[in-house]
Amino acid sequence: MAPRLLIVEDSANVTDALRALFEATGHDVAIAATVDAAVRACVAAPPDLMLLDLTLPDGDGLLVLERLRADGREAPPTAAMTGHDDPETAQRCAEAGCLATLVKPVPTRELLRRVSEWVGA
């Protein structure tokens, strides 16, 4: 079975590019553009990995992890993706349980390598 990725990002340009990249490399891809949609997607079909933007229209992306845990659900392995390259952001992501904080734009090869490591593909 193909590894299931949930990409949580509100930019259609970014999600279109990431969907094409990951589907071409054998992943099953779901997209969510808001915190609420991401929580619903995780409950409906838990992903093997979530790529999580931190700036979403309805709040901080890390709220997805917080809400899942508050409902007694296990949060999926998650990599934060953000344009903020500062120690405070990295610390918040680590404290929330993220595997890593990737600073956008993430080089394609690095992203593919990291995702492959995380999903065991």
Side-chain angles (χ1 to χ4, degrees):
M1 196 157 113
R4 180 172 173 74
L5 302 182
L6 174 60
I7 300 169
V8 183
E9 166 68 57
D10 61 328
S11 167
N13 290 335
V14 173
T15 57
D16 289 349
L18 290 176
R19 178 189 297 274
L21 174 68
F22 286 115
E23 286 181 346
T25 55
H27 297 84
D28 177 22
V29 178
I31 304 292
T34 65
V35 170
D36 289 339
V39 170
R40 287 192 307 272
C42 286
V43 170
D48 296 305
L49 177 68
M50 179 166 52
L51 298 177
L52 180 64
D53 185 17
L54 297 185
T55 306
L56 297 170
D58 58 343
D60 185 322
L62 295 175
L63 287 172
V64 175
L65 304 174
E66 184 179 314
R67 289 185 186 171
L68 288 168
R69 292 180 182 127
D71 287 344
R73 298 182 183 276
E74 187 173 332
T78 301
M81 293 179 58
T82 180
H84 302 283
D85 187 12
D86 60 83
E88 295 80 17
T89 299
Q91 181 68 30
R92 281 189 330 107
C93 295
E95 289 172 357
C98 293
L99 299 167
T101 303
L102 305 174
V103 178
K104 295 191 267 184
V106 182
T108 303
R109 286 184 188 194
E110 177 186 352
L111 185 58
L112 287 172
R113 180 184 59 78
R114 301 289 295 267
V115 167
S116 179
E117 289 173 4
W118 292 324
V119 299

